[in-house]
Amino acid sequence: MKALRIGEPLNGLAVWASAYGKWQGRDRIYAVSSGSPCMLFVLDPAGGGPVQQFALEGSDHCWGVVRAASGVYIGGSGILYRFTHEQGVENLGEMIPGEFYTWRLAADDEGRIYGGCYPGGKVFQYNPSTGRFRDYGVMVDGEQYARSMAAWKDKLYVGIGTQCPHIVELDTETGARTGIGLPEDCCKEQLVYDLDIVHGKLIIRITPSSRLYIYDLQLKRWEHSIDSVSGLSVSAPDKQGNIYFIQDHVLRRYEMATGILTPTSLAMPEPAGDYGWLENHPLNPHGSCLAGVHRDGTCWIYDPDTDRHTVMDFALQGQPVHLQSLAWGPEGKLYIGGYFAGGLASYDPATAEVISRRGIGQIEGMHAAGGVMYLGVYPKANIFAYDPSLEWSPGSNPQLVFSLQEEEQDRAFVWTRAGEELAIGTVPSYGRQGGALTLFHPATGRREVFRELLPQQSIVSLAGGEELLFAGGSVWGGLGIAPQRKEASLMIWDVHSRRKLWEGVPVPGERAISALAPDEEGLLWGLTAGLLFLFNPQTMETERTVPVLAADWEGMTHFWRGGCELLYREGVLYGVAMNTLFTYDVRLGRLEVLDGDARLLAMDGEGGLYFARTTALYRMHSSAAGQEDL
């Protein structure tokens, strides 16, 4: 039997970056949605023209779009693109070899384009006159994120993190770097997430506190701070010199001269992306209106003169979403979570019905309990509860149950049952070490969080029962910080006494234990990036190791679960390691590769194996060893 392609269960929009300009005298918005591939949408905010769309082949994410005289520039997966109405989209090439993630972009007065990168924390320049890239190198040693930036005069100001926030003043001609000291209360923060310059004032937003600070570039001093601001930017000034940003889910006007902050009538349930000013829009034919694009592709427009607003729905079509998580839920349905653009889909094997839902973020892991699907959503390790028997209504169903942000956790990848509780293993937030084990009681809502049970490691695998819980670690913490350990640990934990019974390294040299599966005899099977092992909890010894494939730990920027999974049924292990779907007969000691392009894994009661290939869901019967897909 061959692998059956079920289809692409999720599609979505994730617009985080846009630019504003004019074409033939009319306002245009250039909005980019992340997806496979990214899509550039050219929008007429007056509603008089059709939507144009262009694929950005080779990229699946976008955080930066900027307009210059030579075109609209878009940062993708280590690639810079240029759009003009005459030429369409041009792929300008790789900005810096080895940098595969691009953050915000900026343009200077000469029309040169700048961008920040990950994982090297570098900044590049693109000169449209010569068509050449310039690599300015690492902005701050040890920091991997050059996250935000703005150009002013002959300098570029760059926001850095994630272990500690930094601002770098970069001389774009000489490449010289000078640091700008941050206020003392920023010492425990992580990242300068947003950075803008208005009237010679540097305006930054620090995360995770989401506090905004204002710095006078000429006087070289910090002047004001404002709490509870959400990004990704602040607006360019209006004709009176006021700027606009989101605070406490409301668009607010800030008078730069007086420091007065005034709410508008426009509520913002989620952070705004990039702002732009429109001229002679129907909402105010004789004035200027502020505009922005929501993540779902709708466009809000606000008139400061009358304090009125409107929302335009361009009915933008989403792109297929990479699959991020699989888990069985109530009523025998398989639930599928999406990457970046998010979303939650369900697949009913009995009817082959797929239902796709939008309005939920990136689901790293999930688990069913009591007829409810619990979802671990990135960032902040937000835990949501979804009742499939009720109508899908983001905000109320699924509903936020709790967040692990205060415990500095970000990604709830792994879940298991531990007695009457759910055990959740997490990866910490950016620039932080030390994952957490959370015990949550669905019936009472009680929860306990335990940090550093595996010192300087994330908890990326769990297996549990009524009394004992097994947890596997990864030496990588949150993104943006280098590992401090060389080997991953395994832990045995007593659920009732809440104490660690044992911790050790089951396989020397392995840096992550990405999956765990107990057998019927009380032994524990584990999977690293490419190695199976059998651990005996009675003797605390590893009794067998089985190579599945070669894994190059030295070449990895990070590895948590890596899409790896491990299931045990009736003497056979079913696993995914580094995109390889395999079975291992425990009694015969026989390893067999089923597929070489697979991520994630779930198994139904009839022996059907479900896995993902980028955006598509597949099913293969477990007896179909060596068969090719359709």
Side-chain angles (χ1 to χ4, degrees):
M1 181 179 178
K2 297 180 179 180
L4 173 67
R5 186 182 189 274
I6 295 171
E8 295 176 315
L10 287 166
N11 70 81
L13 288 162
V15 179
W16 287 118
S18 54
Y20 300 78
K22 289 186 179 294
W23 170 244
Q24 297 181 341
R26 297 176 64 89
D27 287 312
R28 289 292 183 268
I29 301 176
Y30 306 91
V32 178
S33 174
S34 297
S36 297
C38 292
M39 297 295 295
L40 166 66
F41 297 100
V42 182
L43 311 175
D44 177 1
V51 172
Q52 295 177 283
Q53 64 182 57
F54 304 85
L56 303 175
E57 299 293 347
S59 289
D60 61 7
H61 76 270
C62 174
W63 284 99
V65 182
V66 68
R67 185 174 178 271
S70 56
V72 176
Y73 291 83
I74 304 154
S77 303
I79 300 169
L80 186 66
Y81 304 85
R82 175 170 55 203
F83 170 80
T84 62
H85 285 270
E86 295 82 6
Q87 300 294 326
V89 170
E90 303 171 77
N91 184 327
L92 300 175
E94 185 181 31
M95 290 95 75
I96 301 175
E99 300 295 283
F100 55 81
Y101 216 100
T102 312
W103 294 111
R104 304 290 276 173
L105 302 183
D108 65 15
D109 293 339
E110 303 298 320
R112 294 170 297 196
I113 309 303
Y114 302 87
C117 302
Y118 168 86
K122 296 182 177 181
V123 166
F124 72 88
Q125 178 199 79
Y126 175 76
N127 190 329
S129 300
T130 63
R132 294 180 179 177
F133 288 97
R134 178 178 178 180
D135 178 0
Y136 287 103
V138 178
M139 291 295 101
V140 176
D141 290 340
E143 295 288 2
Q144 296 179 304
Y145 282 72
R147 178 64 183 78
S148 54
M149 60 187 55
W152 188 66
K153 297 183 177 180
D154 60 345
K155 301 294 192 298
L156 184 75
Y157 294 85
V158 187
I160 310 291
T162 57
Q163 299 176 56
C164 183
H166 306 268
I167 298 174
V168 170
E169 180 187 80
L170 173 68
D171 187 308
T172 57
E173 297 300 327
T174 67
R177 300 189 297 273
T178 304
I180 295 178
L182 288 161
E184 290 185 6
D185 56 0
C186 295
C187 63
K188 294 184 179 180
E189 302 281 2
Q190 295 176 356
L191 181 62
V192 180
Y193 201 88
D194 305 324
L195 186 153
D196 297 274
I197 299 175
V198 179
H199 299 315
K201 308 282 189 179
L202 184 66
I203 304 171
I204 66 168
R205 186 174 68 92
I206 299 283
T207 57
S209 69
S210 284
R211 184 176 294 115
L212 184 147
Y213 295 88
I214 299 175
Y215 178 82
D216 191 304
L217 287 167
Q218 294 179 324
L219 299 178
K220 300 185 182 302
R221 68 184 185 193
W222 293 100
E223 296 184 335
H224 304 290
S225 66
I226 302 169
D227 290 334
S228 304
V229 175
S230 60
L232 303 168
S233 61
V234 303
S235 78
D238 63 17
K239 294 177 181 178
Q240 289 73 43
N242 306 313
I243 62 172
Y244 295 77
F245 51 79
I246 309 300
Q247 182 196 46
D248 293 328
H249 306 294
V250 174
L251 179 69
R252 299 176 191 265
R253 178 175 62 251
Y254 182 73
E255 297 181 19
M256 296 287 288
T258 64
I260 296 175
L261 190 61
T262 306
T264 72
S265 62
L266 180 55
M268 286 283 192
E270 61 182 34
D274 294 302
Y275 300 86
W277 287 100
L278 310 177
E279 301 298 329
N280 310 120
H281 186 271
L283 187 62
N284 185 347
H286 306 291
S288 300
C289 291
L290 188 64
V293 182
H294 284 304
R295 185 174 64 172
D296 64 4
T298 57
C299 176
W300 58 266
I301 300 167
Y302 172 75
D303 177 17
D305 293 344
T306 63
D307 194 32
R308 294 185 302 144
H309 62 271
T310 187
V311 175
M312 300 183 65
D313 188 350
F314 293 97
L316 303 182
Q317 297 300 306
Q319 290 295 102
V321 173
H322 282 239
L323 306 187
Q324 182 73 355
S325 50
L326 297 177
W328 289 105
E331 302 175 343
K333 294 181 181 180
L334 182 65
Y335 281 81
I336 307 111
Y339 173 76
F340 203 84
L344 177 68
S346 61
Y347 171 71
D348 189 339
T351 63
E353 180 184 37
V354 176
I355 298 177
S356 181
R357 307 165 183 87
R358 293 186 183 181
I360 191 76
Q362 180 174 312
I363 301 172
E364 306 285 36
M366 46 190 161
H367 199 90
V372 173
M373 204 70 191
Y374 290 92
L375 316 173
V377 178
Y378 163 87
K380 304 176 185 178
N382 287 328
I383 308 302
F384 286 83
Y386 169 57
D387 186 341
S389 68
L390 302 177
E391 182 180 355
W392 176 266
S393 180
S396 58
N397 189 38
Q399 184 176 37
L400 180 64
V401 181
F402 63 90
S403 173
L404 295 173
Q405 180 184 15
E406 291 187 1
E407 284 79 17
E408 295 188 310
Q409 302 300 297
D410 233 7
R411 304 172 192 266
F413 278 123
V414 290
W415 303 61
T416 192
R417 292 301 295 258
E420 296 181 349
E421 298 172 294
L422 289 181
I424 309 168
T426 48
V427 172
S429 55
Y430 291 83
R432 298 294 183 265
Q433 295 280 9
L437 172 67
T438 299
L439 275 295
F440 170 64
H441 199 293
T444 65
R446 184 185 72 248
R447 70 178 186 273
E448 292 181 80
V449 182
F450 303 87
R451 289 283 307 270
E452 296 286 354
L453 290 177
L454 291 178
Q456 299 174 334
Q457 297 174 74
S458 301
I459 294 181
V460 296
S461 57
L462 289 171
E466 293 297 319
E467 298 179 356
L468 297 181
L469 187 67
F470 302 93
S474 166
V475 300
W476 282 274
L479 294 177
I481 186 170
Q484 298 178 18
R485 294 173 59 99
K486 296 295 185 182
E487 298 174 316
S489 297
L490 176 70
M491 175 186 72
I492 305 175
W493 203 69
D494 189 293
V495 174
H496 300 296
S497 66
R498 303 304 212 230
R499 64 188 181 93
K500 187 189 303 185
L501 301 179
W502 181 86
E503 179 194 341
V505 176
V507 187
E510 297 298 292
R511 300 186 185 182
I513 300 171
S514 56
L516 295 169
D519 67 13
E520 68 274 357
E521 297 178 358
L523 301 177
L524 183 69
W525 287 92
L527 178 64
T528 69
L531 185 73
L532 272 174
F533 66 90
L534 177 63
F535 179 79
N536 189 328
Q538 299 298 320
T539 63
M540 310 300 182
E541 294 181 350
T542 298
E543 298 184 348
R544 193 188 312 184
T545 59
V546 182
V548 178
L549 49 85
D552 179 17
W553 290 116
E554 297 300 327
M556 295 183 186
T557 58
H558 72 279
F559 189 95
W560 298 314
R561 60 168 191 170
C564 297
E565 302 286 352
L566 192 62
L567 307 172
Y568 177 89
R569 182 174 293 183
E570 298 177 352
V572 180
L573 287 163
Y574 303 88
V576 171
M578 302 292 289
N579 297 330
T580 299
L581 174 62
F582 67 90
T583 65
Y584 178 71
D585 190 306
V586 173
R587 298 180 181 89
L588 299 178
R590 184 175 64 196
L591 180 77
E592 190 168 6
V593 173
L594 303 184
D595 194 280
D597 185 13
R599 290 184 70 257
L600 312 175
L601 187 63
M603 190 175 191
D604 63 23
E606 299 177 352
L609 300 173
Y610 296 83
F611 61 90
R613 286 184 191 158
T614 60
T615 61
L617 179 67
Y618 284 77
R619 183 183 187 274
M620 175 191 288
H621 197 275
S622 58
S623 64
Q627 298 290 335
E628 296 181 356
D629 63 88
L630 294 175

